[in-house]
């Protein structure tokens, strides 16, 4: 198992190219199941989660090839005939559940393993299931698998989500493209990844409107055709690297960055004392002074502050002046980075869904353990500004969501390396 070693210091200067969004690409790839013709995705990120989705779709009969060192994915489902998403693959990645809607739309039948719990929370699938049932599917849970069937095909329905689930919006949107009649999703998720999926489905011939708002309307069509679609910029990778100069000083330009992807996050950075300016190629980030200010953060569905940037922001606030309260409203167990940050000298108290962070002067390097994707990267960021060496173990989590993290940070002057270790 590899470790990452970061030696604190600074400043960081230069530019970082932001990749296509993992969470958009994971939703776009299953859209291949909706058409007999090929779907080409450009600007795809090179990540282990993308490999897992590739493996899953191949197990369903899709053919997938890559071009340009993995940045282009060509997916073809003309001979995809297997409706069974096996536990062996699904358990590796919750986003595997995004094949449920497309499989049902294509075969009128799907057998998809439940993903099980994951480190950040229980993450049930009730919203997906209730919505697909409203569209005429009969769904039963047997032996850990959801057995779904829609004899005679799915039918359009008006669906009211009790929570704006990203995955359920994506699943239902895909299923509805080929359903008979009109589907309306109320309280739909508004994330940029939803808009990206809707854009791609429209390129394939789907009739979708309202994406990016809380009410999405999908008119079912007979068939979808092939298309080529560029994956939207990864706003979470963007936000993560925007924080690097906030930790270590200097000025970094994020190529491909857009403020509209991260408005709530950028507003918090301004309050903390970090300037973000738009450039022709993206965004430039620089802190206003060495001492940052504490702020309170509440994670919320888009356009609120993203849960996927909470860990990284908590790490930054560890050395801000004053006390910050972070409230996690999306996942019930997403503070696993807190005890690791405490090992680096942070002052953090966690009570249920709240974490109180009282700023200390400096963090100190320590051996720490990555517990999930975003927690891992928060420890790297903390290491950039800590005194001495931070050794992060279990970094395989990082490979799920950050391509070439070491090279990207080295490129702006960070002292960071990846080593093989036995731990
Ligand atoms: N939820 C339910 N029932 C459901 C679905 C969701 O109770 O049927 C709950 C979940 O348990 C969770 C909350 O609703 O507490 C949010 O879940 P949502 O469905 O919105 O999230 P997701 O689709 O499972 C995606 C991202 C996550 C990101 C969340 C929230 C992908 C592949 N994953 O997950 O990304 O945190 O939206 O924005 O798109 C990450 O990249 O690190 C990551 C965890």
């Amino acid at each position: 198992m590899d470790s990452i070693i970061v030696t604190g210091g600074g400043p960081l200067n230069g530019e970082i190219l932001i990749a296509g969004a993992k969470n958009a690409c994971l939703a776009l790839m299953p859209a291949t199941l909706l058409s007999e013709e090929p779907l080409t995705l450009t600007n795809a990120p090179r990540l282990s989660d993308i490999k897992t989705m590739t493996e899953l779709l191949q197990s369903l009969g899709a053919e997938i090839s890559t071009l340009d060192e993995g940045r282009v994915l060509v997916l073809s489902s003309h001979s995809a005939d297997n409706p069974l998403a096996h536990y062996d693959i699904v358990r590796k990645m919750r986003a595997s559940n995004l094949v449920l809607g497309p499989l049902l739309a294509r075969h009128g039948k799907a057998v998809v393993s439940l993903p099980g719990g994951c480190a950040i929370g229980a993450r049930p699938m009730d919203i997906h299931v209730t919505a697909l049932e409203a569209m005429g599917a009969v769904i039963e849970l047997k032996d850990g698998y959801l057995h779904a069937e829609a004899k005679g095909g799915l039918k359009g329905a008006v669906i009211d989500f009790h929570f704006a689930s990203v995955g359920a919006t994506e699943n239902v949107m895909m299923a509805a493209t080929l359903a008979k009649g009109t589907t309306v999703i109320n309280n739909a998720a508004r994330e940029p990844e939803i808009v990206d999926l809707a854009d791609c489905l429209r390129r394939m011939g789907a009739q979708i409107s309202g994406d990016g708002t809380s009410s999405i309307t999908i008119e079912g069509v007979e068939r979808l055709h092939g298309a080529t679609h560029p994956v939207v910029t990864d706003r979470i990778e963007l936000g993560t690297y925007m924080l690097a100069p906030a930790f270590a000083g200097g000025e970094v330009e994020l190529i491909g960055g857009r403020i509209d992807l991260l408005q709530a996050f950028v507003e918090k950075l301004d309050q903390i004392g970090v300037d973000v300016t738009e450039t022709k190629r993206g965004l430039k980030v620089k802190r206003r002074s060495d001492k940052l200010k504490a702020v309170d953060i509440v994670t919320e569905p888009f356009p609120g502050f993203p849960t996927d940037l909470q860990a990284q922001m908590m790490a930054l606030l560890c050395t801000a002046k004053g006390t910050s309260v972070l409230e996690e409203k999306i996942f019930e167990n997403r503070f696993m980075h807190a005890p690791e940050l405490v090992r680096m000298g942070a002052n953090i108290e966690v009570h249920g869904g709240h974490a109180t962070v009282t700023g200390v002067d400096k963090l100190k390097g320590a051996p720490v353990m990555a517990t999930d994707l975003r927690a891992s990267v928060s420890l790297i960021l903390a290491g950039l500004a800590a005194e001495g060496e931070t050794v992060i173990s279990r970094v395989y989590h990082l490979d799920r969501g950050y391509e070439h993290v070491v090279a990207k940070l080295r490129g702006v002057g960070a002292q960071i390396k990846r080593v093989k270790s036995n731990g």
Side-chain angles (χ1 to χ4, degrees):
M1 250 192 271
D2 294 1
S3 300
I4 285 182
I5 304 180
V6 190
T7 308
L12 304 179
N13 285 293
E15 57 185 52
I16 297 179
L17 178 66
I18 304 303
K22 166 182 82 88
N23 288 347
C25 199
L26 289 174
L28 291 162
M29 291 172 74
T32 176
L33 296 168
L34 298 167
S35 174
E36 301 269 313
E37 295 174 21
L39 171 64
T40 302
L41 300 173
T42 60
N43 196 36
R46 278 89 44 93
L47 300 168
S48 64
D49 270 8
I50 301 301
K51 289 207 178 107
T52 306
M53 183 57 87
T54 300
E55 202 188 325
L56 175 62
L57 291 169
Q58 284 170 335
S59 78
L60 303 175
E63 286 164 20
I64 303 178
S65 54
T66 57
L67 298 168
D68 193 15
E69 296 170 348
R71 287 185 198 90
V72 176
L73 303 172
V74 183
L75 307 101
S76 169
S77 292
H78 67 275
S79 53
D81 54 3
N82 177 20
L84 171 71
H86 201 277
Y87 177 64
D88 285 349
I89 306 179
V90 175
R91 70 183 166 81
K92 293 189 197 166
M93 183 181 72
R94 182 180 161 84
S96 303
N97 65 24
L98 293 172
V99 298
L100 177 62
L103 280 177
L104 255 181
R106 181 184 181 111
H107 302 291
K109 187 180 163 154
V111 183
V112 177
S113 168
L114 274 184
C118 75
I120 60 178
R123 304 178 80 180
M125 284 200 56
D126 56 310
I127 304 172
H128 304 241
V129 167
T130 312
L132 293 167
E133 282 174 345
M135 295 174 73
V138 175
I139 305 184
E140 253 190 304
L141 177 63
K142 269 192 289 188
D143 309 324
Y145 283 78
L146 291 173
H147 292 251
E149 202 164 3
K151 287 200 177 112
L154 292 167
K155 294 176 193 64
V158 176
I159 295 156
D160 297 310
F161 282 171
H162 67 76
F163 175 83
S165 157
V166 174
T169 304
E170 292 165 342
N171 243 331
V172 173
M173 203 160 73
M174 285 192 273
T177 56
L178 295 177
K180 285 194 197 82
T182 306
T183 300
V184 179
I185 310 173
N186 291 320
N187 195 23
R190 289 182 279 167
E191 271 67 3
E193 294 75 25
I194 304 285
V195 176
D196 200 42
L197 176 61
D199 278 342
C200 175
L201 294 169
R202 274 189 288 264
R203 285 175 205 255
M204 295 170 75
Q207 293 200 12
I208 304 178
S209 59
D211 45 297
T213 76
S214 310
S215 183
I216 303 179
T217 302
I218 306 112
E219 307 276 352
V221 296
E222 278 291 311
R223 57 182 290 278
L224 296 183
H225 50 72
T228 296
H229 176 80
V231 179
V232 69
T233 298
D234 194 317
R235 66 195 163 99
I236 306 302
E237 191 199 29
L238 169 65
T240 301
Y241 289 128
M242 283 169 77
L243 290 177
F247 276 87
E251 185 173 45
V252 175
E253 185 170 16
L254 296 312
I255 309 301
R258 281 165 36 196
I259 286 188
D260 64 309
L261 294 173
L262 281 174
Q263 190 71 49
F265 174 75
V266 170
E267 280 164 23
K268 287 295 172 188
L269 283 182
D270 182 48
Q271 290 166 27
I272 293 170
V274 178
D275 285 333
V276 179
T277 46
E278 288 182 288
T279 66
K280 282 202 180 109
R281 301 162 72 212
L283 300 175
K284 258 192 186 159
V285 181
K286 187 180 169 57
R287 65 186 186 199
R288 282 199 285 276
S289 85
D290 279 358
K291 208 60 213 167
L292 302 173
K293 289 189 212 123
V295 289
D296 293 341
I297 305 276
V298 181
T299 64
E300 279 167 322
F302 192 85
F305 189 98
T307 172
D308 293 342
L309 285 170
Q310 178 261 109
Q312 301 90 312
M313 190 56 117
M314 181 189 286
L316 183 69
L317 293 170
C318 287
T319 52
K321 193 171 161 41
T323 299
S324 310
V325 178
L326 293 96
E327 185 180 355
E328 174 56 60
K329 292 224 291 203
I330 309 294
F331 294 111
E332 67 271 23
N333 188 26
R334 214 179 195 184
F335 286 138
M336 285 164 301
H337 39 283
E340 301 300 314
L341 291 167
V342 168
R343 303 193 66 252
M344 297 176 71
N347 181 350
I348 307 171
E349 281 179 33
V350 176
H351 295 288
H354 292 78
T356 306
V357 182
T358 307
V360 295
D361 266 352
K362 217 161 173 45
L363 295 181
K364 297 199 173 58
V368 288
M369 198 178 295
T371 47
D372 72 68
L373 170 59
R374 309 302 172 189
S376 321
V377 85
S378 76
L379 299 171
I380 292 188
L381 291 173
L384 291 176
E387 230 167 65
E389 213 174 70
T390 301
V391 182
I392 302 142
S393 55
R394 298 206 179 161
V395 295
Y396 53 85
H397 291 291
L398 274 172
D399 300 329
R400 298 186 57 181
Y402 291 92
E403 65 169 47
H404 307 313
V405 64
V406 167
K408 286 189 180 187
L409 286 170
R410 281 175 86 99
V412 292
Q415 292 186 59
I416 176 169
K417 61 184 178 190
R418 184 164 179 147
V419 294
K420 294 251 169 264
S421 68
N422 305 318

